[in-house]
Amino acid sequence: MHVGENTLWSIGQVARKTGLSVKLIRHWSDVGVVHPARRTPSGYRLYGAEALARLQLAQTLRGLGLGLAAIRDVLERESTLPEVAATHIDALEQQIRTLRTQQAVLRSVTRRDTTAERLTTMTELARMSAAERRATIREFVTDTLGELDVPTYRRGLLAATPDLPADPTDEQVDAWLELGELVRNPALRASVRRMARYAAEHHPGEHDDSALRDAEQVTDDWLRRVEAATAQGIAPDSPAADPVVAAVVATWIPSQPAPDGTALVDDARARGLLLEQLEVASDTRMERYWQLLCVINGLPVRPSMAAAGRWLTAALRAHPEPGARAARLAELYDAGQDAWQPTGVLHACDVVLDAVGGLVSAVQPDQFDRPTPCADWDVRTLLGHLVWENLLWAGLADGTPRSDFTADHLGEDHVAAFRTASQAARSAFSRPDMLEQRYGPAPGRRLVEQLVIEMLVHGWDLAQAVGRPFDTVQQVAETALPVVREIYGELPRTAAGSFAPPQPVPDGAGPLDRLAAYLGRTVT
């Protein structure tokens, strides 16, 4: 239809020109996005060129995600297109953040065994605003600490709030989801309250910055000493750990007010107090809390202290007062009889090393990643330990102690590595008078004895892992069992110690199985 110089189209013609549906054009007309030029006598709408242009622009803006109100503002010139675009950019950025958060939630679900209830919690956490995140931590702190007189501790917890950046990484979003769940965990709240209650009872009130720095320095010191001891292969329940404990205690004492006003010295009371403090603060959930906050806030994450803490607590339990373990062993060594007669401990060592050497030779490289009865050790790690034990005791016997515990002693040929190390031990033990020579409080035969015990129990581990027989050492195990009970019977069995608590054994178990069970292995 023509009206003067203007061409008018029916709604159907406009729909064909724009690709929009008649229903949508009618709706947009009703809400004011586009206006008909006129109506026919029968009431049908007719649209001109301006309406067609408005529809095409509206279609473009709609495709960009703008709502009808914003589109109408642009078309009516109430807002300029750049102004609307800037507003829409902000909205899109918020949508992008929301979508990334939802993506992080779903990725977290794929990595974890997530229940429907847990998914709901994660979704709630993901949708929280910055203010809501801060309020979550504030509620956790105030509810957990309650009325306890720990203002410095309280202030520190409240100051460390999760501050997700505007464009967080997946790791940061995932850290917030984990932290949000963690602060709802009753076990964490109980642990934090236990630590705060201990602090309120022993060190109440305000603490200045110097006290906090001193505490950090003490922590750094014992971590450094324990990590060095671990790198040297020193077991926390061995006599060699006692000097490490003594050095830690000497650094720690100046930071401690004496409980009853008397000065602390390195004795059973001081070591007991340090052990108590470590046990109160040992919950790894609180360590994880601080690590997650660092990830969220883009700060460096301090490596876990859990393993070092377990080492030091095990060492304090094994050495409750200075020299106690060494004195007990010296007494035992002086009073003990040679259990290995008539053939002698060197013969027992040869028998066990030959048997373990046979096991090692039977291991194939494709078995290296198999699990073993030693927690967290695969077959390759266990083979490396067997080599190390031979090098360790050979070095001690020769008067040249090893300090390369963390090195790869296995190399590319595990059979040759064990053969070389075991030959070094045999040579060191065969020196004239070595068995009676004193190594500290111990005669040399006790060094040989220790290698025999290590080879018996870890040989049993290897045999179990690769499914090979290890029966030729049953007689040696029978002789070794009372020696093992004598040496380790009074030693605390802890997570970081040399051996786990004794385990039950089936009726009729042989000497080797009984020995393995006594040293914490599960025998079926």
Side-chain angles (χ1 to χ4, degrees):
M1 178 180 291
H2 291 78
V3 179
E5 295 296 319
N6 297 324
T7 301
L8 299 180
W9 295 281
S10 69
I11 195 169
Q13 291 172 318
V14 171
R16 287 190 292 273
K17 286 178 176 292
T18 60
L20 301 172
S21 68
V22 170
K23 182 178 179 180
L24 180 61
I25 296 172
R26 185 177 295 116
H27 172 64
W28 281 4
S29 295
D30 292 341
V31 299
V33 171
V34 66
H35 308 289
R38 53 167 291 184
R39 288 180 181 265
T40 68
S42 302
Y44 292 107
R45 304 177 200 198
L46 297 174
Y47 297 89
E50 181 186 357
L52 189 64
R54 286 172 68 100
L55 283 169
Q56 290 170 334
L57 179 56
Q59 184 179 17
T60 299
L61 295 174
R62 187 66 168 172
L64 291 172
L66 270 68
L68 289 181
I71 293 171
R72 191 167 53 242
D73 287 346
V74 172
L75 295 175
E76 298 298 338
R77 301 294 191 270
E78 293 180 12
S79 299
T80 66
L81 187 57
E83 289 172 341
V84 172
T87 301
H88 192 54
I89 287 171
D90 291 340
L92 284 174
E93 287 178 346
Q94 180 59 45
Q95 291 177 18
I96 290 169
R97 285 195 292 271
T98 300
L99 289 172
R100 289 191 63 179
T101 301
Q102 292 172 347
Q103 183 186 50
V105 171
L106 293 173
R107 282 178 175 168
S108 183
V109 168
T110 64
R111 292 193 299 268
R112 306 178 185 178
D113 184 15
T114 303
T115 62
E117 181 181 4
R118 189 160 181 256
L119 177 60
T120 300
T121 300
M122 292 168 64
T123 304
E124 291 173 358
L125 292 168
R127 291 174 177 170
M128 283 185 176
S129 64
E132 289 171 328
R133 289 193 294 272
R134 287 192 293 271
T136 297
I137 299 301
R138 187 166 55 252
E139 182 276 332
F140 161 69
V141 174
T142 55
D143 182 59
T144 301
L145 299 186
E147 75 297 341
L148 294 173
D149 182 19
V150 285
T152 306
Y153 187 45
R154 185 190 307 272
R155 210 163 36 246
L157 285 173
L158 288 173
T161 56
D163 187 17
L164 271 176
D167 188 21
T169 64
D170 288 345
E171 183 186 20
Q172 287 173 312
V173 173
D174 204 37
W176 162 245
L177 296 179
E178 185 179 345
L179 179 65
E181 288 186 289
L182 186 60
V183 297
R184 299 183 182 195
N185 188 333
L188 173 66
R189 294 183 174 228
S191 176
V192 173
R193 184 159 181 87
R194 183 174 63 253
M195 286 186 272
R197 184 183 295 112
Y198 185 91
E201 291 173 355
H202 295 82
H203 308 286
E206 293 280 359
H207 298 281
D208 58 25
D209 290 343
S210 64
L212 297 177
R213 285 194 299 271
D214 289 345
E216 290 178 356
Q217 289 175 356
V218 169
T219 300
D220 290 341
D221 177 80
W222 73 253
L223 276 172
R224 177 178 56 80
R225 294 182 186 278
V226 168
E227 287 168 356
T230 303
Q232 295 172 32
I234 297 175
D237 46 19
S238 71
D242 196 15
V244 180
V245 173
V248 169
V249 172
T251 304
W252 166 81
I253 281 177
S255 69
Q256 301 299 307
D260 57 2
T262 59
L264 285 174
V265 296
D266 186 2
D267 58 10
R269 180 181 68 150
R271 294 191 178 196
L273 181 59
L274 176 55
L275 177 60
E276 182 182 27
Q277 291 181 6
L278 289 170
E279 289 174 335
V280 168
S282 64
D283 194 327
T284 55
R285 283 176 288 252
M286 195 61 197
E287 180 181 67
R288 185 59 179 161
Y289 175 91
W290 290 111
Q291 290 174 335
L292 292 170
L293 276 173
C294 289
V295 172
I296 294 167
N297 295 332
L299 300 173
V301 178
R302 184 168 188 164
S304 174
M305 300 189 300
R310 287 192 296 270
W311 190 99
L312 185 53
T313 54
L316 284 163
R317 292 190 185 103
H319 306 279
E321 56 184 312
R325 174 72 175 153
R328 172 72 184 99
L329 288 175
E331 179 184 352
L332 183 153
Y333 294 152
D334 287 339
Q337 301 298 313
D338 187 350
W340 304 96
Q341 297 302 331
T343 56
V345 70
L346 287 179
H347 174 74
C349 186
D350 284 336
V351 170
V352 175
L353 287 177
D354 287 345
V356 174
L359 283 175
V360 171
S361 297
V363 175
Q364 299 301 312
D366 62 3
Q367 297 175 311
F368 281 1
D369 60 353
R370 288 189 182 184
T372 74
C374 299
D376 302 324
W377 283 9
D378 58 17
V379 166
R380 192 184 193 284
T381 306
L382 177 56
L383 288 169
H385 185 74
L386 288 167
V387 172
W388 163 254
E389 286 290 343
N390 279 274
L391 296 175
L392 169 67
W393 295 106
L396 290 172
D398 282 335
T400 55
R402 305 286 294 238
S403 59
D404 55 343
F405 173 70
T406 57
D408 179 11
H409 300 289
L410 205 59
E412 298 299 321
D413 188 341
H414 61 287
V415 178
F418 183 82
R419 185 186 303 116
T420 300
S422 62
Q423 185 55 49
R426 294 181 208 244
S427 296
F429 294 162
S430 65
R431 284 188 299 101
D433 302 325
M434 180 271 167
L435 296 183
E436 301 307 321
Q437 180 181 335
R438 284 282 170 166
Y439 296 86
R445 61 183 173 85
R446 291 290 188 168
L447 272 62
V448 183
E449 194 172 70
Q450 285 294 325
L451 181 59
V452 170
I453 294 169
E454 291 287 343
M455 291 298 102
L456 283 171
V457 67
H458 289 304
W460 184 91
D461 293 332
L462 183 60
Q464 298 297 309
V466 299
R468 303 286 298 186
F470 191 47
D471 294 329
T472 58
V473 298
Q474 292 289 359
Q475 184 59 51
V476 177
E478 183 74 45
T479 305
L481 189 53
V483 176
V484 169
R485 290 197 175 105
E486 180 184 48
I487 296 174
Y488 298 106
E490 298 179 0
L491 195 66
R493 305 290 187 93
T494 58
S498 298
F499 301 107
Q503 300 299 311
V505 291
D507 293 338
L512 185 59
D513 283 347
R514 287 189 281 120
L515 176 68
Y518 184 76
L519 295 178
R521 272 57 176 177
T522 300
V523 178
T524 57

